[in-house]
Amino acid sequence: SFQNEEFTCVLDKATLDALMTDGSSEVVSLVNKYFDEMSRVLRVGGRYVCVTLLQAHILEHVLNWFPKNGWIMRICRCEDAEKSQAESGNFSFPVFVLVCTKFRHVDNFKQVIEVELGGEGVHRVESTQEVVRNIQQLQQFSLLRHTLHSQHIAGEDTSVELCDPKTGGVRYVLHIVDSLKKSNSLKFAVFIVPHGREHEWMFGSQRGREKLAESAGARRLVVVHLMRGQTYHSLQGIQEELSARVMELAPSALPSNTKIPFLSVGEDLGSR
């Protein structure tokens, strides 16, 4: 066997995912032995680097084990791996790289968890719940994107949340409406609902949103709800923030350089 503190880095390429098939006590015990052995052979200041899909039971366990044992955690999204899978026509959940740095045990250690989930740089989070919300949102968005690329969802009430990566709070809720009417001239459009009007029938119900898509003449319409407690400066700012994300929800036949129309009721963001 290896000597204590023999290595400065332990690289795990999906071994954790293969070991931790579920959250049962037997599996958790096995994974804890794996972590204990990894910690034994790793020097103080060394790093455990793990490529993982961070399924819910795995995410819950690593967010418990590493901070509890005085390790600093960083979770990074590996978008290049996802793009490679997408370009080859394969579906892939978001891929993450977990980087955990070993420190000597200190009483009353305050957990340090950092995330880099794309576009916002590295920032420190205050709670594990914030991490869970962000990761789950990315996974749900990925699954929905795959579904929308492969089929129409006419008649289904389909939505997804987009979280603020810095706070973990829900920033937008996107409702996707498909119409089978070939007479609709727009293949894809986005409608931003003004603040305070998301509960109106036209914007807050499935049938209302279907009517909205029909009125807009869109075969697929993304209806955007703005969330309480979030700050928005202008419709133009929202458009710039959402353009890349909503393009991922476009029909598969739509050229990637298509300019997506953003619609709303006037130019006012509204208020609560």
Side-chain angles (χ1 to χ4, degrees), residues 33-191:
K33 290 178 181 178
Y34 169 60
F35 282 166
D36 288 341
E37 180 65 8
M38 175 271 296
S39 179
R40 183 187 69 80
V41 302
L42 194 63
R43 297 175 187 173
V44 173
R47 289 177 173 173
Y48 169 65
V49 180
C50 175
V51 180
T52 172
L53 297 180
L54 283 182
Q55 293 172 280
H57 58 282
I58 295 176
L59 179 60
E60 178 184 3
H61 191 62
V62 297
L63 287 174
N64 175 57
W65 195 92
F66 287 100
K68 183 179 69 176
N69 286 280
W71 294 54
I72 290 179
M73 290 182 63
R74 178 178 292 182
I75 301 174
C76 303
R77 184 181 179 186
C78 188
E79 294 185 275
D80 287 344
E82 297 172 41
K83 289 177 182 177
S84 176
Q85 288 291 318
E87 289 171 358
S88 63
N90 298 320
F91 168 66
S92 173
F93 269 118
V95 178
F96 301 94
V97 177
L98 179 66
V99 182
C100 301
T101 305
K102 179 181 176 180
F103 282 81
R104 296 193 187 280
H105 180 76
V106 177
D107 291 335
N108 300 318
F109 174 80
K110 184 179 180 181
Q111 70 177 20
V112 178
I113 303 175
E114 299 175 330
V115 297
E116 197 287 300
L117 301 178
E120 297 292 334
V122 177
H123 66 276
R124 188 168 296 184
V125 297
E126 298 299 325
S127 69
T128 56
Q129 290 83 0
E130 181 181 331
V131 179
V132 170
R133 282 196 300 268
N134 274 292
I135 299 296
Q136 287 180 340
Q137 178 265 305
L138 288 172
Q139 293 167 336
Q140 291 166 0
F141 188 89
S142 179
L143 183 59
L144 176 61
R145 178 182 60 199
H146 173 70
T147 300
L148 292 175
H149 278 206
S150 59
Q151 65 187 62
H152 286 282
I153 54 168
E156 298 182 25
D157 190 7
T158 303
S159 64
V160 66
E161 296 176 347
L162 296 184
C163 293
D164 184 332
K166 291 185 177 179
T167 67
V170 178
R171 183 158 174 78
Y172 300 101
V173 176
L174 310 183
H175 296 270
I176 297 88
V177 183
D178 271 359
S179 172
L180 296 178
K181 291 188 176 182
K182 295 184 178 180
S183 59
N184 288 359
S185 57
L186 283 176
K187 291 184 178 180
F188 186 57
V190 180
F191 190 97

Side-chain angles (χ1 to χ4, degrees), residues 4-19:
N4 291 347
E5 300 189 358
E6 185 172 346
F7 299 100
T8 57
C9 182
V10 173
L11 179 61
D12 175 343
K13 189 177 179 182
T15 300
L16 175 60
D17 287 16
L19 284 176

